[in-house]
Amino acid sequence: MQKLSITEARKAFMKISDKTEGNQVIAVTKRNKEVMAVMSWDLYEGLLETMETLGDPELMGDIKQGMEEIKSGKTYSIEESRRRLGL
């Protein structure tokens, strides 16, 4: 992870977005302490979505159940899935 002091970040503000492509995060420091993170909007939205999913007990239960079914072999071929869904 790249680190910039708050002074460096201020000077490079217009160019920072070029450095945050993909999953790159820039830590901004003040007095050698990390005080904020700069990241792409896509990464930010992905993190919010992940937190929302992890915070939903019903959805997490469904995911865990699905993983257990996969481990126990309760799966269907793509052809069987299409047939069951009427596709």
Side-chain angles (χ1 to χ4, degrees):
M1 174 183 331
Q2 183 180 356
K3 291 185 180 185
L4 292 175
S5 70
I6 202 159
T7 303
E8 292 169 323
R10 188 180 311 122
K11 288 177 185 176
F13 184 75
M14 298 303 289
K15 296 178 183 178
I16 287 178
S17 66
D18 296 336
K19 297 179 181 184
T20 59
E21 294 174 358
N23 290 336
Q24 179 68 28
V25 177
I26 297 173
V28 179
T29 62
K30 186 174 184 179
R31 296 187 184 117
N32 293 320
K33 180 181 177 188
E34 294 171 346
V35 293
M36 71 175 71
V38 179
M39 65 189 79
S40 71
W41 190 257
D42 287 341
L43 179 57
Y44 171 73
E45 284 184 324
L47 290 171
L48 286 180
E49 226 173 89
T50 299
M51 290 189 319
E52 186 177 318
T53 298
L54 292 171
D56 184 332
E58 185 177 341
L59 182 55
M60 287 305 297
D62 291 344
I63 291 170
K64 287 177 185 176
Q65 180 183 348
M67 291 172 69
E68 289 170 8
E69 289 175 359
I70 290 169
K71 286 180 185 176
S72 69
K74 288 185 180 179
T75 61
Y76 299 101
S77 67
I78 190 76
E79 294 82 16
E80 177 66 13
S81 298
R82 286 185 178 141
R83 186 187 67 71
R84 289 171 159 259
L85 294 170
L87 302 175

